[in-house]
Amino acid sequence: MWIFLPAKRKKIALENIRQCLNIDESESARIAKISTVNLGPLAMEVMNFPRLKNMMKSHVKIIGLEHLTNYINSAERQGRGAVIATCHSDNWELMGGAFAQYGIPLVGVAKKQKSEGADKFINEFRTLIGMHITYRSGVREMYKMMDEGHFIGLIMDQDVGRHDGVIVKFFNRATNYVTGAASMSRFKSIPIFPAFMHKNSDGTHTLEVYPPLSVEKTSDKRADIQNMTQKLATLTEEHIRRYPEEWFWLHDRWKSMRVEFTTEEVAEFNRRLNIE
């Protein structure tokens, strides 16, 4: 799969890895190739959802599931849902299915595919495994379903436009980071559960759920969202550093910083974030 990628996409992956992990070209190439090849098994597992649905608990082990179930059974919940924040590591499609099959009422937030046929196809498999799917534009539906007790699954690690994120420190670089989880948590006074998946040597997976985080609600809304988004970015970075071969390095993660911000602005962000 790696050899068929356009040179531009390979360059993005190699540059991301080299700068983030501070490693040489040879090791960067090794990680980039493994990360890309892993997309094959990811797709095969999605196609295999009809079989995996009946054997999910032997295929995916969840560590920290009690954090979710304790919240579900708590008085503080009052029928409300929560946010599950994750990243494009290992098989993120399987993660949503695992939560659903373990009894977590999950709503997956998806990007609509350009091809109507492809979009319908992948959503049929997501629904089959137990997820409810809404699109990123469906904010009203997300809030409605949170009020009904659903957990909103958000993938937090992709680049966003200048006016859609906040600048945080991520791999010792000023990074434009999506604020959805922090914004929802603050507005609805609900917890965020960070969760990340990695693949085991036998082909099964381990999904780790972290204790809940709560956004502080002060008079400075932007600072509250900024602080929580930084916490989530740091947890995401720590996971990627542990399992670098499993992250989706092909994404142009720093594009907005490169094309939407001036050199002077980036320098000021670096100063504020103590980035040398």
Side-chain angles (χ1 to χ4, degrees):
M1 186 175 292
W2 173 257
I3 62 174
F4 297 113
L5 284 178
K8 180 180 179 180
R9 189 59 59 180
K10 289 182 180 178
K11 182 179 179 181
I12 289 171
L14 292 170
E15 188 66 11
N16 282 344
I17 294 169
R18 187 186 63 79
Q19 290 196 20
C20 290
L21 303 181
N22 193 27
I23 55 179
D24 61 28
E25 292 183 8
S26 176
E27 182 64 3
S28 296
R30 183 190 71 82
I31 291 173
K33 290 175 183 177
I34 294 175
S35 172
T36 305
V37 169
N38 284 342
L39 296 176
L42 182 154
M44 291 302 297
E45 280 185 317
V46 172
M47 295 293 292
N48 210 20
F49 273 3
R51 183 178 69 89
L52 289 176
K53 179 179 180 179
N54 299 317
M55 53 180 288
M56 187 63 74
K57 293 185 179 180
S58 63
H59 192 64
V60 179
K61 177 182 178 181
I62 300 184
I63 297 173
L65 182 65
E66 68 275 8
H67 298 311
L68 299 176
T69 56
N70 287 346
Y71 173 68
I72 288 174
N73 297 322
S74 68
E76 69 172 294
R77 185 190 182 200
Q78 298 179 335
R80 298 172 301 170
V83 175
I84 296 176
T86 188
C87 70
H88 287 89
S89 184
D90 191 17
N91 191 336
W92 52 90
E93 294 285 353
L94 181 64
M95 181 189 297
F99 277 130
Q101 291 304 308
Y102 271 85
I104 305 303
L106 183 78
V107 176
V109 179
K111 178 181 179 181
K112 191 167 187 177
Q113 302 297 310
K114 294 179 180 179
S115 166
E116 184 176 341
D119 192 67
K120 181 180 179 181
F121 177 81
I122 185 61
N123 283 337
E124 284 179 353
F125 276 84
R126 289 165 171 161
T127 303
L128 181 151
I129 205 73
M131 289 186 281
H132 176 88
I133 296 297
T134 188
Y135 296 115
R136 294 177 184 175
S137 58
V139 176
R140 182 175 298 178
E141 181 183 13
M142 292 182 216
Y143 281 117
K144 178 178 180 292
M145 297 197 76
M146 275 191 288
D147 288 340
E148 295 172 352
H150 289 79
F151 287 67
I152 306 299
L154 296 178
I155 298 180
M156 304 290 298
D157 57 344
Q158 287 197 306
D159 194 22
V160 289
R162 176 186 178 109
H163 301 292
D164 298 318
V166 294
I167 308 302
V168 299
K169 186 176 183 179
F170 185 58
F171 284 103
N172 202 40
R173 301 168 72 180
T175 307
N176 194 14
Y177 217 90
V178 65
T179 62
S183 297
M184 286 183 175
S185 174
R186 187 182 187 280
F187 180 67
K188 302 297 290 185
S189 298
I190 56 174
I192 302 170
F193 295 89
F196 304 102
M197 178 181 275
H198 71 269
K199 194 168 187 177
N200 303 315
S201 59
D202 62 358
T204 62
H205 305 262
T206 296
L207 173 51
E208 184 174 1
V209 180
Y210 287 65
L213 301 174
S214 296
V215 178
E216 185 178 8
K217 207 165 187 177
T218 72
S219 59
D220 191 338
K221 176 182 176 181
R222 185 167 183 83
D224 295 343
I225 292 173
Q226 169 96 31
N227 292 337
M228 177 53 67
T229 303
Q230 180 63 73
K231 290 179 183 178
L232 295 172
T234 299
L235 288 174
T236 301
E237 177 182 336
E238 290 171 353
H239 175 79
I240 295 168
R241 287 187 182 278
R242 285 198 296 271
Y243 306 101
E245 294 91 351
E246 298 184 6
W247 196 43
F248 188 66
W249 293 100
L250 295 172
H251 176 59
D252 194 353
R253 184 63 187 84
W254 284 269
K255 181 179 179 179
S256 66
M257 297 302 300
R258 190 174 65 248
V259 303
E260 296 187 42
F261 295 89
T262 66
T263 302
E264 292 74 19
E265 286 176 316
V266 173
E268 177 59 18
F269 293 140
N270 288 340
R271 185 191 66 78
R272 293 180 187 175
L273 296 169
N274 296 316
I275 297 173
E276 297 180 357

